[in-house]
Amino acid sequence: MSNDTNAIGLHTASATQLAEHLNILLANYQTFYMNARGYHWNVKGNQFFELHVKFEETYTDLLTKVDEIAERILTLGHEPLHAYSDYARVATIKEDTHVSDGTACVKGLLTGYKSLIELQREIMSVASDADDEGTASLVGDYIREQEKTVWMLSAYLGE
């Protein structure tokens, strides 16, 4: 292993760039996770039962991905952001507060997923340039799942 590579054989400059992108993604996942929790807790109306369960499924999945992203940052040799002040500073997904209407909650999920997909596509490009199959595979799996979710949420909304 040369001096300009990290423990997994990636160039240190590339690993640093990837970790920066992944920390932005992590901040967005954390914010989106809290939004999904809020939807779960606060949704009202005749769609309550189905949406309450769907939002729990969503935030559980997001929490798993938060952990996977943080661990990938560590694997690259860097530290994941772990303060809400950092998340608020770098996330492009904004807090969605005081939302209880089921349709508005679903629209919030749809917007969040679209934002994540866009960020993950950028990371795929950076990972590809760095020959980082681990990161590319991780976000590629997320994109595949989330594109289907976008289709399903859009269909739910009649879009």
Side-chain angles (χ1 to χ4, degrees):
M1 184 167 72
S2 73
N3 289 340
D4 68 338
T5 59
N6 66 6
I8 60 172
L10 295 175
H11 290 285
T12 53
S14 296
T16 298
Q17 183 183 23
L18 282 160
E20 289 168 359
H21 283 277
L22 287 168
N23 263 317
I24 292 168
L25 184 64
L26 177 65
N28 280 281
Y29 265 94
Q30 286 282 36
T31 304
F32 191 37
Y33 166 80
M34 288 307 299
N35 287 347
R37 288 295 303 232
Y39 303 152
H40 171 75
W41 291 329
N42 297 308
V43 68
K44 294 180 180 164
N46 61 0
Q47 302 163 321
F48 171 83
F49 289 105
E50 66 183 296
L51 291 178
H52 186 74
V53 170
K54 182 62 178 174
F55 297 149
E56 183 174 6
E57 174 188 306
T58 299
Y59 75 68
T60 300
D61 178 64
L62 293 171
L63 188 57
T64 298
K65 287 176 172 57
V66 162
D67 193 53
E68 291 171 349
I69 294 164
E71 288 177 354
R72 186 65 193 167
I73 294 165
L74 290 163
T75 300
L76 292 170
H78 293 272
E79 183 177 342
L81 297 177
H82 56 274
Y84 284 107
S85 56
D86 290 330
Y87 301 149
R89 181 176 47 82
V90 301
T92 54
I93 295 175
K94 299 303 177 197
E95 292 177 332
D96 199 6
T97 59
H98 309 292
V99 180
S100 61
D101 174 71
T103 299
C105 293
V106 173
K107 285 180 179 180
L109 284 186
L110 191 57
T111 299
Y113 278 121
K114 287 178 178 180
S115 295
L116 292 178
I117 290 168
E118 183 179 336
L119 290 169
Q120 290 162 165
R121 286 186 178 137
E122 292 172 17
I123 292 169
M124 286 256 325
S125 177
V126 175
S128 177
D129 291 345
D131 293 324
D132 179 3
E133 177 62 31
T135 300
S137 176
L138 182 72
V139 297
D141 288 346
Y142 294 172
I143 290 168
R144 180 184 40 77
E145 290 174 23
Q146 292 164 0
E147 286 174 340
K148 183 175 181 180
T149 301
V150 164
W151 162 66
M152 296 174 104
L153 292 172
S154 296
Y156 183 86
L157 293 170
E159 296 178 0

